[in-house]
Amino acid sequence: MNLNLTTKKIDVEIEIILVKNKKIKENKEILKSLNFKGEDEQSVLLPELGKLYVGCETDDKDNIRIAIATAIKALNKTNFKSASIKCKDNLSAYIDGFELGNYKFDKYKSKPKDTKVSLGTTNKEFKKEDKNIYIEVNNIDTKIQKEFEEAICICESVNMARDFVNTTPDDFYPNIMAKEAIQIAKENELECKILDEDYLKDNNMEAMLAVGRASVHKSKLIHLTYKPSQKIKTKSKKKIVLVGKGLTYDSGGLSLKPSDFMVNMKSDKSGGCAVLGVMNAIASLNLPIEVHGIVGAVENMIGGDAYKPDDVLTAKNGKTIEIRNTDAEGRLVLADCLCYAQDTIDDIDYILDFATLTGACVVGVGQYTSGVMGNNTQLNYQVVQSAWDSGELATTLPFNRYLKKTIKSEIADICNISSTRYGGAITAGMFLDNFIKDENKQKWVHIDIAGPAFVESAWGYNPHGASGTGVRMAIEFIKSI
Ligand code: BES
Ligand code: ZN
Ligand code: ZN
């Protein structure tokens, strides 16, 4: 699919018409007879008239995204090669609908279907027949052109994150994740450090090391940096650090997951993949902000060398952690990555971490919404606002003093699981707080994306599988600071 911006009326095979507020203005009789009411996710193609009608119940951005996604999916079922749509405002929502709604992951199909799939950097061999879509706008000034290009760049990065997450654990393990990071760095002129297990050992990152110990795949710490070019003149140069949980597979370790819960645990790298997605887009946005992307790429497996419930591990900041469940591994990896970030980057303004951290978060807020936590209520709300502005769903989950007591340990500084089964998303967030330095307490936000990162049935403009959650939210937040 090729998206084109135009001010002229182009001669196309199909004109896409969004029917807003259920107000059908033309071809009323035919549409009525086809039972088209203009409801969300409803579409009717009238090929002989060259028109595709799509319902869009209200004019807000999210409804536009869903309506456009409905349109492109309907078009993909046909052999028409060109289509147009009128766009008065909210151009970026149109792009989101086309780019995110057109996404398909068919890397593992022996006969891929006829739509184009962007396959990240690992595999670019499937290039499909293309459809040309013309978005008709009133005029194209530099602002519109910029909005168009940025939206495409962000969507491509979301789709790249989706590809990574959907890729199987045998094809995407820590070293592959590191290679993808190197590729992203090359293409975007970012600094890139890949730190191996020797580095982790030398720097007392025992928590992260222990999680990956039973895997045949060696753990990697990925650190990408975007520094704005000297050309961008600005008074204050902000610095933001994004940290991602990159569990390329989470079997649960010795506290092994039951079979049904292990399926889809390839998605436990979603936080890390979201961070890579942001880093892929950030250079093109030309923002006067220094952005660091740190990913703990690790595989949690079983074996004679596995870390165990009853072990006590020491994290990079010297804190000791009693292990009572090896399936609460993400917080251990993040603990060391958060310490690494704070020890190696100075004068940080914001630290955001993204992680598929707890099933409890999914139970609490549903599978479509991320849980936002931290010590700074105002900042939590700011992140939630950025999420909604970008088209993602998020809500705050406030910390409290009572739950904090449930992660105390009798024998170590802290325990990796709570003594209560309630409030698991919050206790996981409060565990991470132990690895945030006092001077950064108000600058840190933890985002649990366990629900929306990977959903088994399609929702809105998201297909089955990975959604790329976190990429748009983080970019919107970075733009807002
Ligand atoms: N990766 C899982 C969390 C998860 C669950 C992500 C469902 C996506 C969908 C995490 O490592 C985990 O296993 N957490 C445990 C924590 C528990 C042992 C305290 C959980 O949520 O059950
Ligand atoms: Zn786990
Ligand atoms: Zn996990």
Side-chain angles (χ1 to χ4, degrees):
M1 182 192 65
N2 296 316
L3 289 183
N4 309 281
L5 206 51
T6 174
T7 51
K8 293 190 202 86
K9 182 121 193 68
I10 310 276
D11 190 23
V12 290
E13 291 159 297
I14 299 292
E15 191 186 341
I16 302 168
I17 295 156
L18 293 193
V19 175
K20 295 185 177 164
N21 309 309
K22 296 193 183 171
K23 281 192 189 117
I24 301 174
K25 293 180 182 159
E26 52 189 49
N27 294 315
K28 285 185 186 171
E29 286 309 306
I30 314 176
L31 290 171
K32 201 178 163 199
S33 65
L34 290 167
N35 202 22
F36 178 81
K37 297 190 182 106
E39 287 163 356
D40 280 340
E41 301 189 51
Q42 208 186 11
S43 70
V44 160
L45 178 67
L46 302 178
E48 56 289 353
L49 297 179
K51 295 200 171 176
L52 173 64
Y53 291 91
V54 187
C56 184
E57 284 191 24
T58 64
D59 207 5
D60 69 57
K61 280 183 157 197
D62 219 39
N63 275 21
I64 293 173
R65 291 185 187 102
I66 292 171
I68 297 291
T70 306
I72 188 68
K73 279 184 245 173
L75 271 181
N76 280 339
K77 291 190 184 126
T78 73
N79 288 324
F80 292 115
K81 291 275 167 284
S82 61
S84 70
I85 183 157
K86 288 198 178 69
C87 167
K88 274 209 203 100
D89 50 17
N90 290 325
L91 175 64
S92 67
Y94 284 72
I95 312 290
D96 289 350
F98 279 119
E99 293 284 349
L100 302 179
N102 188 46
Y103 176 84
K104 206 157 180 39
F105 185 74
D106 55 9
K107 188 172 171 175
Y108 296 106
K109 295 275 190 195
S110 54
K111 290 187 196 116
K113 291 227 178 86
D114 244 16
T115 51
K116 188 202 159 191
V117 181
S118 50
L119 281 156
T121 46
T122 34
N123 189 347
K124 279 187 172 153
E125 62 210 342
F126 300 115
K127 272 255 164 164
K128 302 291 149 49
E129 258 186 283
D130 276 343
K131 290 191 194 303
N132 264 310
I133 310 283
Y134 297 90
I135 303 177
E136 292 174 12
V137 290
N138 287 338
N139 73 316
I140 303 176
D141 52 19
T142 47
K143 190 171 157 270
I144 290 284
Q145 188 64 34
K146 190 168 166 243
E147 186 177 351
F148 178 72
E149 281 164 18
E150 279 191 1
I152 288 182
C153 166
I154 293 169
C155 288
E156 281 176 350
S157 300
V158 172
N159 287 340
M160 171 188 263
R162 286 168 162 185
D163 280 341
F164 290 167
V165 174
N166 283 326
T167 301
T168 61
D170 254 8
D171 287 345
F172 202 101
Y173 42 87
N175 199 34
I176 301 289
M177 200 165 191
K179 281 189 178 160
E180 292 294 355
I182 292 168
Q183 186 65 25
I184 291 169
K186 247 190 216 158
E187 284 174 14
N188 295 283
E189 293 179 38
L190 309 175
E191 288 171 26
C192 176
K193 270 191 221 154
I194 307 295
L195 304 170
D196 60 14
E197 293 190 348
D198 288 337
Y199 179 95
L200 303 181
K201 270 180 209 130
D202 293 347
N203 288 275
N204 310 314
M205 297 168 77
E206 197 180 46
M208 174 164 166
L209 265 174
V211 174
R213 217 165 59 200
S215 170
V216 295
H217 301 296
K218 300 263 176 277
S219 302
K220 304 279 171 191
L221 191 150
I222 299 163
H223 182 173
L224 295 174
T225 309
Y226 164 72
K227 288 194 175 144
S229 90
Q230 305 300 327
K231 277 180 267 167
I232 306 174
K233 290 201 183 74
T234 174
K235 281 167 272 159
S236 62
K237 214 194 260 174
K238 291 259 163 56
K239 209 184 272 185
I240 180 165
V241 183
L242 308 173
V243 178
K245 171 178 173 182
L247 261 288
T248 58
Y249 201 69
D250 180 13
S251 69
L254 290 179
S255 312
L256 196 64
K257 284 182 184 294
S259 335
D260 287 354
F261 288 74
M262 208 184 291
V263 178
N264 291 331
M265 276 305 137
K266 64 174 182 181
S267 70
D268 216 19
K269 56 186 177 304
S270 298
C273 294
V275 169
L276 294 183
V278 176
M279 297 313 289
N280 185 59
I282 207 72
S284 312
L285 304 180
N286 268 314
L287 300 167
I289 298 168
E290 185 171 313
V291 186
H292 293 260
I294 292 167
V295 180
V298 183
E299 188 183 58
N300 186 20
M301 296 298 279
I302 54 170
D305 196 24
Y307 82 122
K308 307 165 192 71
D310 285 352
D311 277 343
V312 172
L313 307 171
T314 309
K316 190 174 191 299
N317 67 350
K319 283 209 182 174
T320 56
I321 308 165
E322 179 192 356
I323 304 303
R324 291 178 77 92
N325 190 319
T326 61
D327 197 11
E329 84 299 334
R331 62 196 75 183
L332 304 173
V333 173
L334 283 179
D336 272 338
C337 287
L338 287 166
C339 291
Y340 165 85
Q342 297 168 92
D343 289 345
T344 56
I345 306 161
D346 42 45
D347 303 323
I348 299 172
D349 293 294
Y350 301 95
I351 311 179
L352 267 53
D353 76 71
F354 291 86
T356 47
L357 208 59
T358 65
C361 194
V362 195
V363 173
V365 302
Q367 68 267 48
Y368 307 116
T369 305
S370 299
V372 175
M373 289 156 257
N375 301 299
N376 183 339
T377 311
Q378 208 50 47
L379 188 57
N380 292 345
Y381 283 129
Q382 208 180 315
V383 170
V384 169
Q385 188 60 48
S386 300
W388 287 89
D389 288 346
S390 76
E392 292 192 29
L393 281 66
T395 188
T396 58
L397 297 172
F399 288 166
N400 67 65
R401 68 179 79 207
Y402 306 107
L403 281 174
K404 191 173 179 178
K405 291 187 183 148
T406 70
I407 45 174
K408 283 191 172 162
S409 165
E410 292 290 336
I411 61 162
D413 295 340
I414 190 157
C415 183
N416 85 322
I417 55 165
S418 161
S419 57
T420 164
R421 53 198 194 91
Y422 304 116
I426 295 174
T427 48
M430 285 191 302
F431 174 91
L432 297 178
D433 182 42
N434 281 276
F435 304 91
I436 303 294
K437 292 181 180 178
D438 285 343
E439 66 262 35
N440 293 325
K441 289 279 185 209
Q442 298 296 312
K443 302 175 179 173
W444 163 69
V445 180
H446 158 60
I447 301 128
D448 193 330
I449 60 171
F454 195 97
V455 181
E456 277 226 84
S457 44
W459 50 296
Y461 43 85
N462 293 293
H464 157 100
S467 63
T469 295
V471 177
R472 288 181 298 154
M473 174 191 329
I475 292 172
E476 190 68 39
F477 178 79
I478 295 170
K479 279 176 161 180
S480 78
I481 60 182

